[in-house]
Structure formats: structure tokens, C-alpha cells
């Protein structure tokens, strides 16, 4: 075995690692046996500068998976599908596409995360439904998916412990934004969850990890190749996260928007469009529908008929949640202060900085700065305009939902600084830039 020193030196000097030396280093670090945090930190920084070859990333991903347990979905019938978003603001697609895909016959066995920084997390949104449980035992998880075709829960068991340790170090050593490190981190977790088909929603823009479409494309390509290499069907959609995707931002607010979409009350909205498109890709990948066009049509039917909404209600009930929220939105937590932010001038909205909007929601209490921070499920904001729309001075640009009066001024400042208004109409980015498989 190479010493940690020798291993780091090889990456520093741009030599290629063997799969075996990567495995030894990662497993020793994960087990606290002979690799110290400062050595891992030094290696991560060497990777940040020097990159990794495709075989190196594959070996890293496999070693990370082997640091813990994997979920075995083989006892479930049908095609098991999973979806992952690289994260964004107003990115509520899971709550819409998971019930739609399940209503079409896919087995949606999904483990989600919590929100951090400016991005929201599906688990926090789900927990705003009164009574909802997101931590199920592995057996409960499998039973629920077998029975109703869908479960969205927090990670069970000891999945990819190497990632949790490495991510915490990356977070404090300026090594998060490295494509091979992101690809191995995301894919090790997705592969450990055991689905046959994995759909990746890789976001780009000012609310995303990857700010340019070129970087998003490289990351997407690398994750698709990794998944295929490990025998799974993987596809990536590159989608816009320059402006927020949904209209409502905040936990209960995003559940509300998902319900409204599944009630067919927001036809043609950006969130609906992207969610339907992602669900259609899942159905085609799972070979439930032979073509993407047929899959789109099937998803639309399930949305319009209310089958998707009924499946969401079934999922809430199965996980202890109050399914009546799908009929009566007033049963969701409500904020006590509703306050508009008014446009300072007339014109066209020319840009909305998604990350700053996410920080505004965090300032109101909807998100967390640190992992241990509490969140308020009721608060957040409603965006009344998208890029390209016309606005008059004094009209609302956004509506704040707050519980603490002192959070209003900072949120208002962030919103005003994140939206630009100009005399000429500009075209927003395409919602979906391309599909990589
Ligand atoms: N999300 C992850 O899970 N890992 C990363 O490295 C970046 C985003
Ligand atoms: Ca997420």
C-alpha cells in the first residue's frame, strides 16, 4: 500500500492513480485507519487543481460506495427509477414528478436531502405536511414502494459514509466546486440507492453549482458515463437555474405549488413544464412508454385526470402525513405576515438572481446557513414575475410570507438587489437546454 504521503504526491505531480491505490486511501480515511483529515484535504486540493481521469473517477466512486451499505431494491417488481437534482431555488420537481411517474407504473424509490445555503431540500418541504414522516426503516421503505409505487424518504442505513466525511472537509477547504469530486459524490449516493434508471437534473446558472452551461455539460457527461459504466441507465437533463424555477419559494409554499400543479391549476408554468418533461424522461427510460412523445402525453393525462394528485395524497397518507392538504391548502402551515415588495420602476424584468432569491427565503427563516439550524416551514416568498415579463412601478415584484417582523427588511433588500428592470424585453433562458445520455 502507498503511504498517504506517496499517494498525495502522485496526484500533486499529475501521475495517474491506480484503482487499487484510490480504494486503499478512501477506505482507510472512511474507517479512520491511517489517513488523517489534513491528508485527505491536501489530496482533495490536488484533485481540484489537477483533475481526475475517467478511470480514476470510476474507482473513486466505487470506493466511496464500498465504504458503506447499499440499498437492495431487487425484491421489488418492475423498473425502479430515481431522480436527482443538483439543487436550486423553487426546484420542487420531485413532489410533482414522483407521483406522476408512480401513477404511470414506475417504482419510485427515492432518498432525498435537506436544504442548505440558498437551495431547498425535498425532506424539509415534505415535513411541512402535518404528521409526515421522512425517516422510514429500510423494510418500511420497500413495503411502501411495493404497495403504492412511491416513497420519498431520508437516507436509510449507512450509505456512502465516505461522502459525508469528504463533503464536510470540502465545504471548509474550498474544494466543493470540482467536477470529478461532485460527480463521484452525487453518483456514489445515487448508485448506492439501487435504482435501475437514474435521471439527473443538472442545473446551470446563478442559482446552481455550475454557473455556465459548458460546466454543467461536462458534469452531466461525467455522471452519465459513470452510471453507465456501473450498469445503470442514466440520462441527464441540463436545465436553467438562473432565475428560480417555481413561483413559490419556502417549504409549505413549495408543497402548495406542487399540489396546485397536480390539480392542473398552473398550466404552462415553468415548474410544471420541467416536471412533466422529467417525468416523461423517466417513463421512457423505464420503457413504460416507447417514445418520449408518448411519455409526455401519458404524463399530461395523469396530471389532468388528477391521478398524480391522488398518488401524492396516497404517499402523504402512507408516511403518516395529513393527505387532506391536497384538497384543503389551508391545512398547511401559514405565515402570519404577508407583505409585498414593490417594483421601484416600470419596465421589463431583465434578470432575477436565483441564489439571492434563495438567500432572501433563508433570511425569512425558510432555509438554513448551518446544518443544525432550525427552519420555519410556513415562511418564504412568492415571485410574481419571471424574466421577460412587464412590470409597473409600485406593483408587487414579490410577496413575502414572514413570521418574524425583523426578517422582512433584510429579505426585501435581497429581493430588490436580485431583480433588474430595464426598458427592453429580454428572452429568458430555455427551461431545458439539452439532454445527455
Ligand atoms: N451535491 C452533492 O451531493 N455532492 C457534491 O459534491 C455537490 C453537490
Ligand atoms: Ca435537492
Amino acid at each position: 500500500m502507498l503511504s498517504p504521503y506517496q499517494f498525495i504526491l502522485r496526484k500533486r505531480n499529475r501521475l495517474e492513480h491506480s484503482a487499487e491505490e484510490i480504494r486503499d486511501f478512501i477506505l482507510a480515511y472512511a474507517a479512520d485507519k491511517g489517513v488523517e483529515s489534513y491528508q485527505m484535504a491536501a489530496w482533495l486540493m490536488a484533485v481540484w487543481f489537477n483533475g481526475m481521469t475517467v478511470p480514476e473517477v470510476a474507482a473513486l466512486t466505487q470506493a466511496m460506495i464500498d465504504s458503506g451499505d447499499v440499498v437492495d431494491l431487487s425484491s421489488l417488481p418492475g423498473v425502479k427509477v430515481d431522480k436527482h437534482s443538483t439543487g436550486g431555488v423553487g426546484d420542487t420537481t420531485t413532489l410533482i414528478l414522483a407521483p406522476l411517474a408512480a401513477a404511470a407504473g414506475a417504482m419510485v424509490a427515492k432518498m432525498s436531502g435537506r436544504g442548505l445555503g440558498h437551495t431547498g431540500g425535498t425532506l424539509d418541504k415534505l415535513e411541512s405536511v402535518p404528521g409526515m414522516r421522512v425517516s422510514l426503516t429500510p423494510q418500511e421503505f420497500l413495503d411502501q414502494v411495493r404497495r403504492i409505487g412511491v416513497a420519498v424518504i431520508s437516507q436509510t442505513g449507512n450509505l456512502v459514509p465516505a461522502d459525508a466525511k469528504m463533503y464536510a472537509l470540502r465545504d471548509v477547504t474550498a474544494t466543493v466546486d470540482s467536477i470529478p469530486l461532485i460527480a463521484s459524490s452525487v453518483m456514489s449516493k445515487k448508485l448506492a440507492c439501487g435504482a435501475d434508471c437514474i435521471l439527473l437534473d443538472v442545473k446551470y446558472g446563478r442559482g446552481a453549482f455550475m454557473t455556465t452551461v459548458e460546466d454543467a455539460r461536462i458534469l452531466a457527461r461525467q455522471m452519465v458515463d459513470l452510471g453507465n459504466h456501473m450498469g445503470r441507465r442514466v440520462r441527464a437533463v441540463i436545465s436553467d437555474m438562473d432565475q428560480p424555477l417555481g413561483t413559490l419559494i419556502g417549504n409549505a409554499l413549495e408543497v402548495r405549488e406542487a399540489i396546485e400543479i397536480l390539480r392542473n391549476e398552473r398550466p404552462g408554468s415553468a415548474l410544471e413544464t420541467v416536471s412533466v418533461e422529467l417525468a416523461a424522461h423517466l417513463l421512457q427510460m423505464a420503457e413504460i412508454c416507447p417514445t418520449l412523445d408518448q411519455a409526455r402525453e401519458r404524463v399530461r393525462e395523469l396530471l389532468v385526470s388528477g391521478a398524480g394528485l391522488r398518488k401524492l395524497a396516497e404517499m402523504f397518507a402512507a408516511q403518516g402525513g395529513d393527505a387532506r392538504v391536497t384538497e384543503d391548502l389551508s391545512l398547511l402551515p401559514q405565515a402570519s405576515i404577508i407583505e409585498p415588495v414593490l417594483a421601484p420602476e416600470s419596465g421589463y424584468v431583465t434578470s432575477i438572481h436565483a441564489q439571492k432569491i434563495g438567500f432572501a427565503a433563508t433570511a425569512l427563516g425558510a432555509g438554513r446557513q448551518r446544518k443544525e439550524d432550525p427552519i420555519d416551514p410556513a415562511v418564504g416568498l412568492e415571485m410574481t414575475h419571471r424574466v421577460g415579463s412587464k412590470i409597473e412601478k409600485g406593483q408587487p415584484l414579490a410577496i413575502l410570507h414572514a413570521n418574524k417582523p425583523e426578517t422582512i427588511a433584510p429579505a426585501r433588500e435581497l429581493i430588490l438587489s436580485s431583480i433588474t428592470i430595464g426598458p427592453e424585453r429580454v428572452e429568458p433562458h430555455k427551461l431545458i437546454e439539452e439532454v445527455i445520455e
Side-chain angles (χ1 to χ4, degrees):
M1 180 177 163
L2 283 182
S3 68
Y5 180 95
Q6 290 294 334
F7 181 79
I8 298 161
L9 190 64
R10 285 178 63 77
K11 182 49 70 186
R12 195 202 71 181
N13 291 347
R14 302 199 184 145
L15 299 171
E16 189 173 6
H17 289 308
S18 71
E20 196 188 352
E21 74 197 40
I22 289 176
R23 185 183 177 78
D24 288 344
F25 185 75
I26 298 298
L27 294 182
Y29 175 67
D32 262 326
K33 290 204 173 113
V35 175
E36 300 298 331
S37 291
Y38 49 80
Q39 292 170 316
M40 178 57 86
W43 180 75
L44 291 167
M45 187 58 86
V47 168
W48 194 94
F49 277 104
N50 295 336
M52 294 183 93
T53 63
V54 172
E56 283 179 319
V57 182
L60 171 61
T61 306
Q62 188 62 54
M64 290 168 72
I65 294 170
D66 293 343
S67 72
D69 303 331
V70 295
V71 180
D72 182 1
L73 298 177
S74 62
S75 65
L76 296 177
V79 184
K80 279 74 77 179
V81 303
D82 196 356
K83 166 260 175 189
H84 177 81
S85 160
T86 57
V89 179
D91 182 27
T92 319
T93 60
T94 294
L95 298 183
I96 301 159
L97 70 87
L100 286 170
M107 291 278 141
V108 187
K110 177 149 173 51
M111 295 189 189
S112 286
R114 298 203 176 267
L116 192 61
H118 69 283
T119 70
T122 301
L123 297 182
D124 298 320
K125 298 172 200 179
L126 283 174
E127 280 180 343
S128 71
V129 175
M132 190 75 183
R133 270 198 316 140
V134 297
S135 62
L136 268 55
T137 66
Q139 198 56 46
E140 287 174 322
F141 178 59
L142 292 176
D143 288 346
Q144 183 176 324
V145 178
R146 187 177 297 110
R147 192 159 53 80
I148 66 169
V150 60
V152 180
I153 65 163
S154 61
Q155 194 177 289
T156 66
N158 183 34
L159 294 191
V160 203
D163 178 65
K165 255 182 114 175
M166 288 166 68
Y167 196 88
L169 256 190
R170 287 165 60 204
D171 210 22
V172 293
T173 57
T175 50
V176 167
D177 58 339
S178 152
I179 287 174
L181 296 179
I182 296 173
S184 54
S185 166
V186 169
M187 290 307 290
S188 60
K189 286 176 285 188
K190 285 289 118 179
L191 292 164
C193 287
D196 308 305
C197 300
I198 302 168
L199 179 64
L200 302 166
D201 181 7
V202 180
K203 307 284 189 189
Y204 80 97
R206 289 172 301 171
F209 264 110
M210 300 290 122
T211 50
T212 68
V213 70
E214 291 76 20
D215 280 350
R217 199 177 280 137
I218 296 169
L219 175 63
R221 178 84 263 155
Q222 200 160 106
M223 294 197 292
V224 169
D225 288 347
L226 266 173
N228 289 338
H229 182 80
M230 311 229 179
R232 311 294 176 86
R233 268 176 261 167
V234 186
R235 191 179 288 180
V237 163
I238 296 184
S239 69
D240 177 48
M241 189 41 71
D242 207 50
Q243 63 176 326
L245 179 58
T247 299
L248 303 180
I249 298 148
N251 297 289
L253 288 165
E254 290 183 48
V255 171
R256 180 178 125 197
E257 186 167 12
I259 291 170
E260 287 171 350
I261 286 174
L262 289 171
R263 285 177 176 180
N264 203 19
E265 290 170 1
R266 292 178 177 266
S269 65
L271 177 59
E272 184 201 73
T273 304
V274 172
S275 302
V276 166
E277 196 64 16
L278 294 174
H281 277 288
L282 275 178
L283 296 190
Q284 194 210 359
M285 286 171 81
E287 295 176 343
I288 290 170
C289 299
T291 68
L292 195 54
D293 275 336
Q294 283 167 300
R296 288 185 181 112
E297 203 173 311
R298 179 104 178 88
V299 173
R300 290 245 159 253
E301 281 165 16
L302 293 166
L303 192 154
V304 171
S305 71
L309 183 70
R310 289 192 292 278
K311 189 56 79 177
L312 182 70
E314 237 184 303
M315 184 181 93
F316 287 168
Q319 294 179 219
D322 186 347
R324 294 174 306 162
V325 297
T326 58
E327 281 148 31
D328 182 355
L329 292 167
S330 73
L331 296 171
L332 287 169
Q334 311 281 328
S336 55
I337 309 169
I338 308 289
E339 178 126 342
V341 178
L342 305 180
E345 57 192 313
S346 298
Y348 292 93
V349 175
T350 51
S351 75
I352 304 179
H353 194 299
Q355 187 188 42
K356 286 194 194 169
I357 296 291
F359 284 135
T362 298
L364 290 164
R368 21 176 113 69
Q369 298 294 356
R370 287 163 311 164
K371 267 216 264 304
E372 52 285 353
D373 291 346
I375 57 165
D376 182 338
V379 302
L381 47 106
E382 183 172 348
M383 303 299 297
T384 54
H385 291 73
R386 290 185 63 79
V387 170
S389 67
K390 200 159 190 257
I391 188 154
E392 300 295 330
K393 181 176 173 175
Q395 276 185 348
L397 267 178
I399 297 164
L400 306 180
H401 292 238
N403 273 330
K404 292 187 178 155
E406 67 275 19
T407 60
I408 289 176
R412 183 194 303 279
E413 279 311 302
L414 277 162
I415 287 168
L416 288 171
S417 73
S418 63
I419 301 179
T420 57
I421 296 171
E424 312 269 358
R425 186 175 186 278
V426 300
E427 271 308 309
H429 293 174
K430 274 197 281 188
L431 290 171
I432 293 186
E433 183 62 34
E434 65 185 79
V435 177
I436 290 182
E437 50 187 323

